[in-house]
Amino acid sequence: QKATMKLTAKQEVILSVLSYSLCSGSLVLINKLTLHYLPFPSLVIAFQLAACIILVYGAKLLGYIDVDPFNWQYVKPYLLYIIFFSCGVYCNMRSLASSNVETVIVFRALAPVIVAFLDAVFLGREWPSQRSWAGLSTLVLGAYMYANEDEKFQTQGYSAYVWPTLYTIVIALEMVR
C-alpha cells in the first residue's frame, strides 16, 4: 500500500509558490543562456513552441493524455489573450536579449502595480488597501533604486528599458484580461 502525504492548505500554497518560483527563475536563466549562444529571440520561441506541440501530441499518441481537437469556436474567445501571450513571450525574449536577468525580474515584479491600477479603473474592482499600497510602493521604490544603480540605464538612459517596459505592460494587460 502506498503511503501518501496530505498537505495542509497553507503547505500547498507554500509549495506552489516555491515550485512556480523555481520553474520561472530557471526558465529565465535558461532562456538568457540560450539567447547568448543563439541570439535570435523569435527562433528560440519557435523552437520552444514546436517542442511543446511535439510533447503534447506525442503524449496524446502514446495514450498518456487526452487532447481536444482544434476547434475555432473554442479558440475565438481566447484570441485576444493568445495575442497578448504571444507578444509577452516575444517582449520577454527581446528583454532578455538586450538586458540582464535582474532587469527583467525587476520589471516583471512591477506588473502587479499596473494590474492594481487597471483593475480598479477599467474593471471596477476595489482599489488596493493601504497595506497593499505599501507593498506596491515598496516594489516601485525598489525598481527605482535598481535603475539608479543599473549600468545600462546609466549609459543608455531610458532606451535601455524599452523592451522590459513593453514586456511589463503586455503581461499586466494579459493579467487584467
Side-chain angles (χ1 to χ4, degrees):
Q1 182 180 13
K2 286 186 179 179
T4 58
M5 189 171 128
K6 182 71 176 159
L7 299 175
T8 66
K10 186 175 183 177
Q11 289 172 327
E12 283 185 15
V13 169
I14 291 170
L15 184 60
S16 295
V17 169
L18 290 174
S19 298
Y20 173 80
S21 299
L22 179 67
C23 290
S24 179
S26 299
L27 187 57
V28 168
L29 292 173
I30 290 168
N31 280 340
K32 180 66 176 178
L33 186 62
T34 302
L35 288 169
H36 178 74
Y37 291 104
L38 183 64
F40 304 105
S42 296
L43 185 61
V44 173
I45 294 167
F47 283 148
Q48 289 175 344
L49 293 176
C52 288
I53 291 168
I54 291 167
L55 182 69
V56 168
Y57 280 100
K60 176 187 176 185
L61 288 173
L62 294 172
Y64 290 119
I65 60 173
D66 292 324
V67 178
D68 293 334
F70 185 83
N71 189 331
W72 181 248
Q73 82 181 48
Y74 299 127
V75 174
K76 192 175 178 183
Y78 295 99
L79 199 52
L80 186 59
Y81 178 80
I82 293 167
I83 291 168
F84 275 113
F85 176 80
S86 300
C87 290
V89 170
Y90 180 74
C91 289
N92 180 47
M93 295 301 269
R94 290 298 304 259
S95 296
L96 285 170
S98 65
S99 305
N100 58 33
V101 172
E102 295 87 356
T103 300
V104 174
I105 291 171
V106 166
F107 272 83
R108 184 187 294 177
L110 289 173
V113 177
I114 299 169
V115 170
F117 177 79
L118 295 176
D119 273 353
V121 172
F122 294 108
L123 299 179
R125 295 189 177 140
E126 288 185 33
W127 286 96
S129 65
Q130 286 183 339
R131 185 175 175 185
S132 295
W133 275 122
L136 295 171
S137 298
T138 303
L139 288 173
V140 172
L141 179 63
Y144 175 78
M145 290 169 56
Y146 173 82
N148 281 335
E149 298 298 321
D150 185 28
E151 244 180 76
K152 279 201 171 192
F153 184 70
Q154 307 249 335
T155 58
Q156 298 173 7
Y158 291 109
S159 66
Y161 291 160
V162 170
W163 284 110
T165 300
L166 287 173
Y167 172 58
T168 304
I169 291 168
V170 169
I171 63 171
L173 290 172
E174 186 181 343
M175 288 179 200
V176 172
R177 174 79 171 97

